[in-house]
Amino acid sequence: MTRRLDLAMLLVLTFSTGMVDAIGYLGFDKVFTGNMTGNVVILGMGLAGAEDTPVLRPALALVFFMVGAALGGRILGRIGEEWHTRTTTIFAGVAIGCAGLAVYVALMPEPEVGLAGTFFTSVLSALMGAQAAAARRMKIADVTTVVVTSTIVGLASDSRLAGGDSVRWIRRALAVFLILIGAVAGAATLMINQWIGIAVVALAIAVVAVIGHLAARKRALAEAAEASVHA
């Protein structure tokens, strides 16, 4: 049951990644803040001199994502795959950071222009890096929350059409579907106002942090009660 709950929470985070990537790419000069593969490709094209292809923001997004992931790894330390207080700390911090960015975008006259836009994409990338580090530590197969290419490969290569047994096809299909729907939602919020999508992302991550923390606390109390019975 615990692993199913972890899977559900990571799928919610996958949806939020679709949102932030759509917002970054469409609203902030073609920058992916969650999917670093996209940034590496864009950066390569920009360095080759492709017209209207940015270099600075994708490069900074890549650097800050790595910084966020490194910081997340440092906070997590040597904890196992089960939800820990440190996991709550990271997800809560990411949610608060996204909420702060939503306020920043709402108050800034032109948040996508110049230094303001670069600041936004860099900070959001750092937050997504920390989130990805925490999600990776939970070790749910096929759900990394930030990329679905390997998930799609597994979905196709292990399918019955390919002679496989379609193992974990439901979670794989859901991961692909949710990042797609997240991108649709992120693009839709841009038609209203840029801050709305980031606020939705902050809310989604906050919900995951609360649910995960409460579930871990419940599990710890149950284990303590069982231990006292056998003592």
Side-chain angles (χ1 to χ4, degrees):
M1 185 64 180
T2 301
R3 292 273 82 186
R4 288 184 179 180
L5 180 59
D6 288 346
L7 171 60
M9 290 187 292
L10 292 190
L11 287 173
V12 171
L13 296 178
T14 301
F15 169 84
S16 70
T17 298
M19 288 197 69
V20 298
D21 274 340
I23 292 167
Y25 189 85
L26 297 175
F28 290 84
D29 195 25
K30 300 178 182 178
V31 178
F32 290 105
T33 53
N35 176 13
M36 290 302 111
T37 302
N39 272 339
V40 171
V41 172
I42 290 173
L43 180 60
M45 293 187 295
L47 291 173
E51 188 175 355
D52 296 326
T53 303
V55 171
L56 178 61
R57 286 187 186 178
L60 287 175
L62 181 61
V63 169
F64 277 93
F65 185 92
M66 294 175 66
V67 169
L71 180 59
R74 172 66 69 174
I75 293 172
L76 291 168
R78 296 177 180 271
I79 67 170
E81 63 187 37
E82 289 189 347
W83 191 285
H84 190 276
T85 304
R86 296 182 184 184
T87 313
T88 301
T89 299
I90 290 179
F91 286 134
V94 173
I96 292 170
C98 288
L101 286 178
V103 174
Y104 169 80
V105 170
L107 297 178
M108 189 69 62
E110 294 183 312
E112 75 282 0
V113 176
L115 184 60
T118 302
F119 173 81
F120 172 83
T121 54
S122 297
V123 173
L124 186 55
S125 293
L127 293 173
M128 291 299 104
Q131 174 180 292
R136 180 176 180 271
R137 191 63 61 89
M138 293 168 72
K139 296 181 180 179
I140 297 292
D142 300 309
V143 185
T144 66
T145 75
V146 291
V147 64
V148 293
T149 303
S150 58
T151 305
I152 293 172
V153 171
L155 181 63
S157 64
D158 292 338
S159 67
R160 297 191 184 281
L161 181 63
D165 55 6
S166 292
V167 63
R168 296 192 296 268
W169 75 269
I170 295 178
R171 73 171 61 173
R172 288 168 171 171
L174 281 173
V176 175
F177 176 74
L178 285 171
I179 204 167
L180 171 65
I181 295 302
V184 172
T189 59
L190 285 175
M191 299 178 185
I192 306 172
N193 199 297
Q194 293 155 317
W195 71 268
I196 295 176
I198 303 302
V200 171
V201 168
L203 178 61
I205 299 172
V207 168
V208 167
V210 171
I211 292 175
H213 181 73
L214 293 177
R217 184 178 179 183
K218 182 179 179 180
R219 183 180 66 249
L221 290 174
E223 290 174 351
E226 184 178 354
S228 65
V229 170
H230 293 292

PDB file of all heavy atoms in Angstrom, residues 162-177:
ATOM      1  N   ALA A 162       5.621  -6.537 -28.855  1.00  0.00           N
ATOM      2  CA  ALA A 162       7.054  -6.778 -29.020  1.00  0.00           C
ATOM      3  C   ALA A 162       7.471  -8.140 -28.468  1.00  0.00           C
ATOM      4  O   ALA A 162       8.654  -8.464 -28.426  1.00  0.00           O
ATOM      5  CB  ALA A 162       7.849  -5.678 -28.324  1.00  0.00           C
ATOM      6  N   GLY A 163       6.500  -8.899 -28.024  1.00  0.00           N
ATOM      7  CA  GLY A 163       6.798 -10.223 -27.485  1.00  0.00           C
ATOM      8  C   GLY A 163       7.059 -10.230 -25.994  1.00  0.00           C
ATOM      9  O   GLY A 163       7.500 -11.249 -25.441  1.00  0.00           O
ATOM     10  N   GLY A 164       6.790  -9.109 -25.322  1.00  0.00           N
ATOM     11  CA  GLY A 164       7.009  -9.033 -23.882  1.00  0.00           C
ATOM     12  C   GLY A 164       5.762  -9.370 -23.092  1.00  0.00           C
ATOM     13  O   GLY A 164       4.765  -9.841 -23.639  1.00  0.00           O
ATOM     14  N   ASP A 165       5.825  -9.055 -21.786  1.00  0.00           N
ATOM     15  CA  ASP A 165       4.691  -9.369 -20.919  1.00  0.00           C
ATOM     16  C   ASP A 165       3.961  -8.115 -20.441  1.00  0.00           C
ATOM     17  O   ASP A 165       3.131  -8.183 -19.537  1.00  0.00           O
ATOM     18  CB  ASP A 165       5.157 -10.175 -19.703  1.00  0.00           C
ATOM     19  CG  ASP A 165       6.276  -9.470 -18.939  1.00  0.00           C
ATOM     20  OD1 ASP A 165       6.606  -8.320 -19.292  1.00  0.00           O
ATOM     21  OD2 ASP A 165       6.809 -10.076 -17.991  1.00  0.00           O
ATOM     22  N   SER A 166       4.285  -6.957 -21.041  1.00  0.00           N
ATOM     23  CA  SER A 166       3.643  -5.680 -20.703  1.00  0.00           C
ATOM     24  C   SER A 166       3.738  -5.363 -19.216  1.00  0.00           C
ATOM     25  O   SER A 166       2.802  -4.842 -18.610  1.00  0.00           O
ATOM     26  CB  SER A 166       2.174  -5.688 -21.142  1.00  0.00           C
ATOM     27  OG  SER A 166       2.062  -5.696 -22.535  1.00  0.00           O
ATOM     28  N   VAL A 167       4.891  -5.665 -18.617  1.00  0.00           N
ATOM     29  CA  VAL A 167       5.077  -5.411 -17.201  1.00  0.00           C
ATOM     30  C   VAL A 167       5.009  -3.909 -16.901  1.00  0.00           C
ATOM     31  O   VAL A 167       5.518  -3.093 -17.661  1.00  0.00           O
ATOM     32  CB  VAL A 167       6.432  -5.991 -16.729  1.00  0.00           C
ATOM     33  CG1 VAL A 167       7.612  -5.309 -17.443  1.00  0.00           C
ATOM     34  CG2 VAL A 167       6.580  -5.875 -15.228  1.00  0.00           C
ATOM     35  N   ARG A 168       4.332  -3.557 -15.859  1.00  0.00           N
ATOM     36  CA  ARG A 168       4.186  -2.175 -15.385  1.00  0.00           C
ATOM     37  C   ARG A 168       3.662  -1.220 -16.456  1.00  0.00           C
ATOM     38  O   ARG A 168       3.972  -0.026 -16.444  1.00  0.00           O
ATOM     39  CB  ARG A 168       5.514  -1.650 -14.821  1.00  0.00           C
ATOM     40  CG  ARG A 168       5.999  -2.396 -13.590  1.00  0.00           C
ATOM     41  CD  ARG A 168       7.132  -1.672 -12.906  1.00  0.00           C
ATOM     42  NE  ARG A 168       8.320  -1.588 -13.729  1.00  0.00           N
ATOM     43  CZ  ARG A 168       9.315  -2.484 -13.711  1.00  0.00           C
ATOM     44  NH1 ARG A 168       9.245  -3.531 -12.922  1.00  0.00           N
ATOM     45  NH2 ARG A 168      10.368  -2.336 -14.468  1.00  0.00           N
ATOM     46  N   TRP A 169       2.870  -1.723 -17.385  1.00  0.00           N
ATOM     47  CA  TRP A 169       2.420  -0.863 -18.485  1.00  0.00           C
ATOM     48  C   TRP A 169       1.485   0.237 -17.996  1.00  0.00           C
ATOM     49  O   TRP A 169       1.468   1.334 -18.577  1.00  0.00           O
ATOM     50  CB  TRP A 169       1.742  -1.697 -19.575  1.00  0.00           C
ATOM     51  CG  TRP A 169       0.358  -2.180 -19.228  1.00  0.00           C
ATOM     52  CD1 TRP A 169       0.020  -3.354 -18.635  1.00  0.00           C
ATOM     53  CD2 TRP A 169      -0.865  -1.483 -19.479  1.00  0.00           C
ATOM     54  NE1 TRP A 169      -1.338  -3.446 -18.476  1.00  0.00           N
ATOM     55  CE2 TRP A 169      -1.914  -2.317 -18.987  1.00  0.00           C
ATOM     56  CE3 TRP A 169      -1.194  -0.261 -20.061  1.00  0.00           C
ATOM     57  CZ2 TRP A 169      -3.256  -1.940 -19.059  1.00  0.00           C
ATOM     58  CZ3 TRP A 169      -2.529   0.114 -20.130  1.00  0.00           C
ATOM     59  CH2 TRP A 169      -3.540  -0.717 -19.635  1.00  0.00           C
ATOM     60  N   ILE A 170       0.735  -0.017 -16.945  1.00  0.00           N
ATOM     61  CA  ILE A 170      -0.216   0.993 -16.467  1.00  0.00           C
ATOM     62  C   ILE A 170       0.522   2.223 -15.941  1.00  0.00           C
ATOM     63  O   ILE A 170       0.209   3.357 -16.311  1.00  0.00           O
ATOM     64  CB  ILE A 170      -1.139   0.403 -15.375  1.00  0.00           C
ATOM     65  CG1 ILE A 170      -2.022  -0.682 -15.962  1.00  0.00           C
ATOM     66  CG2 ILE A 170      -1.997   1.520 -14.760  1.00  0.00           C
ATOM     67  CD1 ILE A 170      -2.937  -1.347 -14.947  1.00  0.00           C
ATOM     68  N   ARG A 171       1.510   2.008 -15.062  1.00  0.00           N
ATOM     69  CA  ARG A 171       2.242   3.157 -14.522  1.00  0.00           C
ATOM     70  C   ARG A 171       3.022   3.884 -15.612  1.00  0.00           C
ATOM     71  O   ARG A 171       3.151   5.116 -15.594  1.00  0.00           O
ATOM     72  CB  ARG A 171       3.177   2.729 -13.388  1.00  0.00           C
ATOM     73  CG  ARG A 171       4.407   1.961 -13.817  1.00  0.00           C
ATOM     74  CD  ARG A 171       5.392   1.748 -12.695  1.00  0.00           C
ATOM     75  NE  ARG A 171       4.815   0.982 -11.610  1.00  0.00           N
ATOM     76  CZ  ARG A 171       5.517   0.551 -10.562  1.00  0.00           C
ATOM     77  NH1 ARG A 171       6.808   0.843 -10.468  1.00  0.00           N
ATOM     78  NH2 ARG A 171       4.949  -0.173  -9.622  1.00  0.00           N
ATOM     79  N   ARG A 172       3.541   3.119 -16.573  1.00  0.00           N
ATOM     80  CA  ARG A 172       4.288   3.740 -17.669  1.00  0.00           C
ATOM     81  C   ARG A 172       3.372   4.605 -18.525  1.00  0.00           C
ATOM     82  O   ARG A 172       3.712   5.743 -18.861  1.00  0.00           O
ATOM     83  CB  ARG A 172       4.951   2.658 -18.523  1.00  0.00           C
ATOM     84  CG  ARG A 172       6.123   1.970 -17.840  1.00  0.00           C
ATOM     85  CD  ARG A 172       6.572   0.723 -18.584  1.00  0.00           C
ATOM     86  NE  ARG A 172       7.813   0.189 -18.055  1.00  0.00           N
ATOM     87  CZ  ARG A 172       8.322  -0.971 -18.409  1.00  0.00           C
ATOM     88  NH1 ARG A 172       7.704  -1.742 -19.299  1.00  0.00           N
ATOM     89  NH2 ARG A 172       9.463  -1.400 -17.888  1.00  0.00           N
ATOM     90  N   ALA A 173       2.217   4.076 -18.846  1.00  0.00           N
ATOM     91  CA  ALA A 173       1.256   4.829 -19.649  1.00  0.00           C
ATOM     92  C   ALA A 173       0.777   6.062 -18.891  1.00  0.00           C
ATOM     93  O   ALA A 173       0.630   7.147 -19.468  1.00  0.00           O
ATOM     94  CB  ALA A 173       0.078   3.935 -20.032  1.00  0.00           C
ATOM     95  N   LEU A 174       0.556   5.920 -17.591  1.00  0.00           N
ATOM     96  CA  LEU A 174       0.111   7.051 -16.782  1.00  0.00           C
ATOM     97  C   LEU A 174       1.178   8.139 -16.714  1.00  0.00           C
ATOM     98  O   LEU A 174       0.860   9.334 -16.775  1.00  0.00           O
ATOM     99  CB  LEU A 174      -0.239   6.587 -15.371  1.00  0.00           C
ATOM    100  CG  LEU A 174      -1.601   5.914 -15.184  1.00  0.00           C
ATOM    101  CD1 LEU A 174      -1.740   5.365 -13.778  1.00  0.00           C
ATOM    102  CD2 LEU A 174      -2.726   6.900 -15.490  1.00  0.00           C
ATOM    103  N   ALA A 175       2.441   7.750 -16.596  1.00  0.00           N
ATOM    104  CA  ALA A 175       3.519   8.734 -16.540  1.00  0.00           C
ATOM    105  C   ALA A 175       3.574   9.554 -17.827  1.00  0.00           C
ATOM    106  O   ALA A 175       3.699  10.787 -17.792  1.00  0.00           O
ATOM    107  CB  ALA A 175       4.855   8.042 -16.296  1.00  0.00           C
ATOM    108  N   VAL A 176       3.467   8.876 -18.958  1.00  0.00           N
ATOM    109  CA  VAL A 176       3.486   9.576 -20.251  1.00  0.00           C
ATOM    110  C   VAL A 176       2.261  10.461 -20.390  1.00  0.00           C
ATOM    111  O   VAL A 176       2.354  11.630 -20.793  1.00  0.00           O
ATOM    112  CB  VAL A 176       3.542   8.556 -21.415  1.00  0.00           C
ATOM    113  CG1 VAL A 176       3.449   9.269 -22.752  1.00  0.00           C
ATOM    114  CG2 VAL A 176       4.821   7.731 -21.342  1.00  0.00           C
ATOM    115  N   PHE A 177       1.103   9.911 -20.037  1.00  0.00           N
ATOM    116  CA  PHE A 177      -0.152  10.656 -20.152  1.00  0.00           C
ATOM    117  C   PHE A 177      -0.149  11.900 -19.259  1.00  0.00           C
ATOM    118  O   PHE A 177      -0.560  12.984 -19.680  1.00  0.00           O
ATOM    119  CB  PHE A 177      -1.326   9.747 -19.796  1.00  0.00           C
ATOM    120  CG  PHE A 177      -2.657  10.437 -19.799  1.00  0.00           C
ATOM    121  CD1 PHE A 177      -3.274  10.788 -20.995  1.00  0.00           C
ATOM    122  CD2 PHE A 177      -3.304  10.736 -18.600  1.00  0.00           C
ATOM    123  CE1 PHE A 177      -4.500  11.440 -20.996  1.00  0.00           C
ATOM    124  CE2 PHE A 177      -4.534  11.375 -18.601  1.00  0.00           C
ATOM    125  CZ  PHE A 177      -5.133  11.729 -19.797  1.00  0.00           C
TER     126      PHE A 177
END
